[in-house]
Amino acid sequence: MPFEKFDRSQLNILPLNERIHDVDLNKVFKDPANHTPDFTHPALPELAKSVWEARRKYDATVLMMYGAHVIRTGNAGYMIEMMKKGLITHFATNGAGSIHDFELAMIGETCESVAKYISEGQFGLWRETGIINDIIEEAAKEDLGWGEAIGRYIWENNFPNREKSVLAMGYHLGVPCTVHIGIGNDIIHEHPNCNGAAMGICSYNDFLIYTQSITKLEHGAFLNFGSAVAGPEVYLKALAMARNVAHQRGERITDFTTAVFDLLEIPEDSEHSTAPSKSDPRYYFRPWKTILARTVADGGKSYYIRGEHQRTVPALSKLVMDLDN
């Protein structure tokens, strides 16, 4: 006998103009031409050189994985500028990252008070945001990836802030931007028009696009900004697949650079190249053991840079772009 399911038709979905927003694009967005980064770190110049050489010397993949907080703290301008210059070849995020991107492109605002709206039973239940589900259902019929589908919709529907959207500019410029979801993780999964099968098709397509980028990681760079679970886990499986094929061809994917940008206090020097012991609670911080240690153990190098994303993204971007001038 099947278990009883929640009836989504009972839900009250309200328009976005009734939501109180915590983030205003006009207040957080940083224009690279008019913003001077106020962050320094001794490893940044060396990392910037590795990123620049990956592109200009080796024509290798430079993949930036980022959590949603990177978008809602206004870093899209720097990311788009590096995209335009070909200094980053692939952007990847989680489902929330795509939702913030979509809302900012549409209305210039995003981010609700979880405390307020979960108390009212209204958290996540906003009409316009649910359009994403309709986009994904149609995209699945075309066998598209999630990031391309959302970017195309923003661009072709001429959203007011489309040129400040990473996904839309990726679509416009032909740069892969992929979205890696977890079912039940995002507010759009609450909506009656959510189709789990369609989501699976589109996000899995993005995983395969991502993995193809990882096949070109030799001499390249993988940058992880604030993605503690999706970032390391998607990267780990994609690298395993890419190395499997490379080994069959007598090739290797070992000489590349990784970097983690986060706030946890862990070693910022060569000590991070060995994963912490299982008795250390930090062992369960996946970016350390996966990105900084295990996957570069055969010849790569890694960096850990502690700082807020609204400072670290502009700082790295400026150094890389300065090398390109």
Side-chain angles (χ1 to χ4, degrees):
M1 190 172 190
F3 293 108
E4 187 176 3
K5 296 178 183 178
F6 181 85
D7 179 6
R8 295 176 296 176
S9 67
Q10 303 173 90
L11 293 168
N12 181 32
I13 313 294
L14 297 180
L16 270 177
N17 62 14
E18 293 187 20
R19 186 174 82 182
I20 299 171
H21 300 92
D22 293 341
V23 174
D24 184 324
L25 184 64
N26 292 325
K27 295 178 181 178
V28 301
F29 184 84
K30 293 180 283 290
D31 182 352
N34 300 310
H35 178 256
T36 302
D38 61 350
F39 181 84
T40 60
H41 188 284
L44 271 179
E46 189 174 350
L47 173 59
K49 183 181 178 183
S50 294
V51 170
W52 184 83
E53 287 184 344
R55 294 300 306 128
R56 300 305 187 229
K57 186 176 180 180
Y58 298 107
D59 192 27
T61 288
V62 175
L63 194 155
M64 178 177 171
M65 183 89 190
Y66 58 96
H69 193 65
V70 172
I71 289 297
R72 62 178 186 250
T73 50
N75 293 299
Y78 281 95
M79 297 159 70
I80 290 166
E81 196 63 23
M82 289 191 286
M83 183 192 300
K84 288 178 177 177
K85 294 180 179 293
L87 293 168
I88 292 184
T89 61
H90 189 132
F91 291 87
T93 190
N94 55 16
S98 71
I99 291 168
H100 288 307
D101 190 296
F102 181 83
E103 290 184 346
L104 287 169
M106 175 184 276
I107 63 169
E109 295 180 295
T110 192
C111 205
E112 60 193 298
S113 168
V114 178
K116 171 180 170 57
Y117 288 114
I118 195 64
S119 179
E120 299 175 6
Q122 198 61 49
F123 174 66
L125 296 168
W126 310 102
R127 192 171 301 146
E128 292 85 349
T129 309
I131 292 171
I132 292 174
N133 288 326
D134 297 329
I135 297 167
I136 294 307
E137 185 157 17
E138 289 304 310
K141 297 173 184 176
E142 299 179 62
D143 205 28
L144 291 180
W146 187 297
E148 180 181 1
I150 300 300
R152 180 179 70 175
Y153 190 90
I154 293 170
W155 188 264
E156 294 187 351
N157 284 278
N158 200 25
F159 278 21
N161 301 300
R162 68 177 186 172
E163 293 186 7
K164 296 179 180 178
S165 159
V166 173
L167 300 184
M169 290 303 293
Y171 168 75
H172 178 60
L173 297 171
V175 175
C177 296
T178 54
V179 179
H180 307 271
I181 70 164
I183 300 294
N185 285 358
D186 301 313
I187 60 173
I188 58 172
H189 304 167
E190 304 172 41
H191 290 233
N193 66 337
C194 182
N195 182 326
M199 290 195 304
I201 288 170
C202 291
S203 194
Y204 193 72
N205 283 340
D206 271 359
F207 173 63
L208 297 179
I209 293 167
Y210 179 109
T211 303
Q212 182 61 25
S213 287
I214 293 294
T215 66
K216 302 171 186 176
L217 190 60
E218 181 73 355
H219 305 306
F222 175 73
L223 313 172
N224 189 79
F225 283 84
S227 183
V229 178
E233 293 301 334
V234 174
Y235 157 73
L236 181 67
K237 281 70 173 186
L239 181 61
M241 293 162 70
R243 280 179 168 170
N244 181 286
V245 174
H247 287 176
Q248 294 179 60
R249 297 172 176 171
E251 300 170 356
R252 291 168 62 84
I253 305 175
T254 55
D255 181 15
F256 57 87
T257 300
T258 65
V260 171
F261 294 77
D262 219 302
L263 293 174
L264 190 70
E265 292 189 11
I266 70 172
E268 295 194 9
D269 53 28
S270 59
E271 292 180 31
H272 67 230
S273 61
T274 300
S277 67
K278 290 185 178 181
S279 61
D280 186 335
R282 295 175 300 178
Y283 172 83
Y284 299 98
F285 179 59
R286 291 173 175 84
W288 183 353
K289 64 184 178 183
T290 298
I291 300 171
L292 299 177
R294 291 173 175 170
T295 58
V296 292
D298 298 314
K301 55 186 176 181
S302 63
Y303 301 90
Y304 182 70
I305 296 171
R306 185 170 178 262
E308 297 171 326
H309 303 313
Q310 59 265 40
R311 301 175 68 204
T312 59
V313 174
L316 176 64
S317 175
K318 187 176 188 306
L319 287 173
V320 176
M321 289 192 290
D322 283 349
L323 288 171
D324 209 47
N325 293 331

